[in-house]
Amino acid sequence: MTEGSSVSGGDAAVQDEVTGGGAPVEEKTPEKKENGDGKEPNASAPEEVRFVHPEGGWGWVVMLSAMWCNGSVFGIQNAYGILFIHLLREFGSEEDKDLRFKTAWVGSLSMGMIFFCSPIVSVVTDILGCRVTAVGGAAVGLIGLLASSFVTSLGPMYFTYGVVFACGCSFAYQPSLVILGHYFNKRLGLVNGIVTAGSSIFTITLPFVLSILLENVGRQNTMRVLCILMFVLMLAGFTYKPLLPTKPKTPTGKVCPPLNQVFNVNIWKSLGYRIWAFGIPAALYGYFVPYVHLMTYVEERFGQDVNKEVLLMCIGITSFVGRLIFGVVADYVKGVNKVYLQVTSFLVIGLMSQMIPLCNIFGGLIAVCLLMGIFDGCFICLMAPIAFELVGANDVSQAIGFLLGLMSVPMVVGPPIAGFLRDRLGSYDVAFYLAGIPPMVGGALLCLIPWVEARRKRREKAAALKGEPDVNQSMLESQNLQVDLKNSKNGESVL
């Protein structure tokens, strides 16, 4: 983990110090001055205090707002499988052999753009703050979703739903992760579990709501009803009051901040973060495939009369439980490695994806979705806490942003490939078998992180121990010199 640097607070005489380990420390105590460098402490020097997380208070309101953000953004995305069926019926034709491939692009492009924009969102969040970024993003998402309700063909949906709506969601979503680190430290894992559980709650309820709305009022009016969620999200963004020290402002006379303030290269100095940032995207090429194609697969395998929405409800319920359970485990169970928890979740998700074609009864699919949901919750709720641990609180915004940006490629590519395989092979079996391989490969890659971090800590400890004798020797020589000078003043020989 990297150490955070102290940041001056304007003309105030107090400096807020952010420590490493993912977040500021909890106790507000004056910084002790060390005299090992031979410097005398200055009584008039400003006293340094450490930032104290409220661990509650207004933070609970922020937590609920962030929970609504996760629910409205990813609840709509995860329920795309319901919308996917109606888009096939509304815009498709039997002569179009690539129908599923083209229609899957709408949902996968939308999910991918949420992550693709994240590096830009992280920079904007650092410059404008969480509140302005979140409110502006929700407003853009509202416009995109409203525009999608007036679309009468599949082509414009790529832009209104896949780009505009998704970009707005991206700008609204990422600040909801960053702002939690301003209010919580010891409870950060639990709070992240509760916040990310918002998408589980919406994933449970939205499929049934969308099915009822689509059957009774049609797709266009259904999307207009969903605009209410984005409007509430815009209001929720106003609660994001920042607490951590702000980064240095742009120097006088300059329109834009320096490049080193815009793009934080410190995060890439951590080998553990580099492995994490490339290992997770490698695991996600098959992650979004069940959310897009599972509903259509169930109709083809078990008929249109089966209650297919139950599967998304099962994923949502157990994902909610998993986020709470693993959030508590990560915070309060000593000796638990968060990275290994993510590795386990990817292995189980990959195995469950490959089990889908093997289920000959609908009850088997329910069992698969229950297990998939639990470990999906584990993977999601540990994203922010691991980022805080790998790069520290000062750099976490761009660390999460670049990670989500790298995740955009597999999120976009996976579902259309699965749809293409279905159109060409006439079955989803091969698509689900292949979707289970990337999570296993990516999970195996993440196993290197604990070893890399342990080696880094050993090197830092060895360097500290190696430098200690030199410091002690310097202090001893300084003390001896002072004694000799004192003795020489008293007429005694230096020799």
Side-chain angles (χ1 to χ4, degrees), residues 288-455:
F288 197 46
V289 170
Y291 287 100
V292 174
H293 295 286
L294 185 58
M295 299 296 99
T296 308
Y297 169 77
V298 170
E299 280 196 351
E300 294 180 356
R301 184 73 177 270
F302 300 101
Q304 295 186 0
D305 296 333
V306 69
N307 193 4
K308 54 187 176 295
E309 294 86 1
V310 171
L311 298 178
L312 288 180
M313 183 187 71
C314 290
I315 294 177
I317 292 175
T318 52
S319 180
F320 173 82
V321 174
R323 295 173 199 214
L324 296 181
I325 292 176
F326 287 104
V328 172
V329 168
D331 277 347
Y332 297 107
V333 177
K334 294 182 179 180
V336 173
N337 192 301
K338 298 181 181 67
V339 174
Y340 285 141
L341 289 178
Q342 274 200 335
V343 170
T344 304
S345 68
F346 281 131
L347 294 178
V348 175
I349 289 174
L351 182 60
M352 291 302 103
S353 296
Q354 295 179 335
M355 290 292 292
I356 290 176
L358 301 178
C359 296
N360 295 320
I361 59 174
F362 190 71
L365 276 180
I366 291 178
V368 166
C369 290
L370 290 174
L371 278 174
M372 186 179 292
I374 289 177
F375 288 95
D376 169 77
C378 173
F379 155 63
I380 295 296
C381 78
L382 296 178
M383 291 275 288
I386 291 177
F388 271 96
E389 288 192 358
L390 290 176
V391 302
N394 277 358
D395 301 328
V396 73
S397 175
Q398 293 201 25
I400 295 176
F402 281 107
L403 172 67
L404 297 180
L406 292 171
M407 288 167 56
S408 65
V409 176
M411 300 294 274
V412 170
V413 171
I417 291 178
F420 176 81
L421 292 174
R422 163 60 183 83
D423 290 334
R424 289 293 181 265
L425 302 178
S427 171
Y428 274 113
D429 291 356
V430 174
F432 283 119
Y433 287 140
L434 295 178
I437 296 177
M440 297 180 181
V441 175
L445 184 61
L446 295 183
C447 291
L448 297 174
I449 296 177
W451 175 76
V452 167
E453 288 295 297
R455 187 182 65 170

Side-chain angles (χ1 to χ4, degrees), residues 130-173:
C130 293
R131 179 184 293 170
V132 175
T133 306
V135 173
V140 173
L142 173 61
I143 293 173
L145 193 58
L146 183 62
S148 299
S149 68
F150 294 98
V151 168
T152 56
S153 63
L154 193 61
M157 285 281 287
Y158 294 136
F159 177 72
T160 57
Y161 188 88
V163 177
V164 179
F165 169 64
C167 287
C169 289
S170 181
F171 277 79
Y173 166 64

Side-chain angles (χ1 to χ4, degrees), residues 219-234:
R219 179 193 60 83
Q220 294 180 333
N221 289 325
T222 298
M223 287 188 161
R224 290 162 193 164
V225 172
L226 292 178
C227 290
I228 299 175
L229 303 181
M230 302 306 297
F231 178 74
V232 176
L233 175 58
M234 186 172 61

Side-chain angles (χ1 to χ4, degrees), residues 480-490 494:
N480 291 337
L481 179 60
Q482 292 178 5
V483 171
D484 292 340
L485 290 175
K486 183 178 180 181
N487 291 337
S488 64
K489 289 180 182 178
N490 293 332
V494 176

